[in-house]
Amino acid sequence: MLRFVLVFLLCVGILFPLDLIEPVERHVILPFTALLADISVWLIQLFDADATATGNVIRSASNGFAISIERGCNGLEAVIILVSAIIAFPAPWRYRLIGIGLGFLAIQALNLVRIISLFYLGQWSQLWFEWFHLYLWQALIVLDALVVFLVWLRYMPRAVRPAPAAAPA
């Protein structure tokens, strides 16, 4: 358990500051966040042709309401927590990589729901937008990382123990 905690804290201590370095932000974070905006608009346009994306901003063409997907809203912090937990857990690297890949997709799928819901909530009520944005969705995204980690643990293959030797007669 101590090893898990120490490796987890080490990974978090490396990945969070790495997330703040300017070249990482320019070449990874900003393009990824713009991709999230594009995917969100693509999903919105399946039902409502009113939305457009420019960089990390999603805008309603009819009423001008816009949301900007900023640092902390792209789900990468929850991914960092999940990746750190998976790396810290003693498991074969094949299963770690599968967990990281599927976990990333699960967190980002929920984050797309978050972004789209906030886009519509903001057009309906600024008060509800603020409450959902600051309180509910923040907690749900981090909880999603925890649930993904627990599901990953559940489906980890159990180590096969050799059968005990027969006792001499």
Side-chain angles (χ1 to χ4, degrees):
M1 181 64 101
L2 180 62
R3 179 198 170 279
F4 174 84
V5 171
L6 292 176
V7 172
F8 175 79
L9 292 174
L10 178 68
C11 288
V12 166
I14 291 171
L15 293 176
F16 271 115
L18 184 65
D19 183 43
L20 299 173
I21 296 173
E22 195 275 328
V24 173
E25 179 165 352
R26 185 177 19 153
H27 296 295
V28 178
I29 307 299
L30 293 178
F32 176 75
T33 306
L35 177 64
L36 273 179
D38 290 338
I39 293 170
S40 297
V41 166
W42 180 80
L43 290 170
I44 291 168
Q45 287 181 344
L46 293 175
F47 306 99
D48 178 6
D50 199 32
T52 61
T54 307
N56 64 335
V57 176
I58 300 172
R59 181 176 315 282
S60 170
S62 64
N63 61 25
F65 176 80
I67 60 171
S68 176
I69 306 169
E70 298 295 332
R71 178 180 298 286
C73 299
N74 56 16
L76 292 179
E77 289 77 8
V79 170
I80 287 172
I81 292 169
L82 176 66
V83 167
S84 298
I86 289 176
I87 288 174
F89 193 83
W93 276 100
R94 176 176 179 253
Y95 294 103
R96 290 179 186 178
L97 294 175
I98 290 169
I100 290 169
L102 293 177
F104 175 84
L105 293 175
I107 289 170
Q108 291 307 323
L110 184 62
N111 199 41
L112 287 170
V113 171
R114 171 187 187 228
I115 292 166
I116 293 168
S117 72
L118 290 173
F119 176 70
Y120 284 109
L121 271 171
Q123 293 177 65
W124 176 65
S125 166
Q126 191 64 34
L127 177 70
W128 283 105
F129 170 85
E130 292 295 330
W131 192 85
F132 272 77
H133 178 250
L134 296 175
Y135 301 110
L136 183 67
W137 275 118
Q138 294 284 10
L140 288 177
I141 294 296
V142 174
L143 183 63
D144 186 30
L146 174 62
V147 168
V148 167
F149 179 67
L150 294 174
V151 169
W152 176 76
L153 287 177
R154 170 71 178 91
Y155 287 100
M156 281 291 301
R158 304 286 185 247
V160 178
R161 294 182 187 174

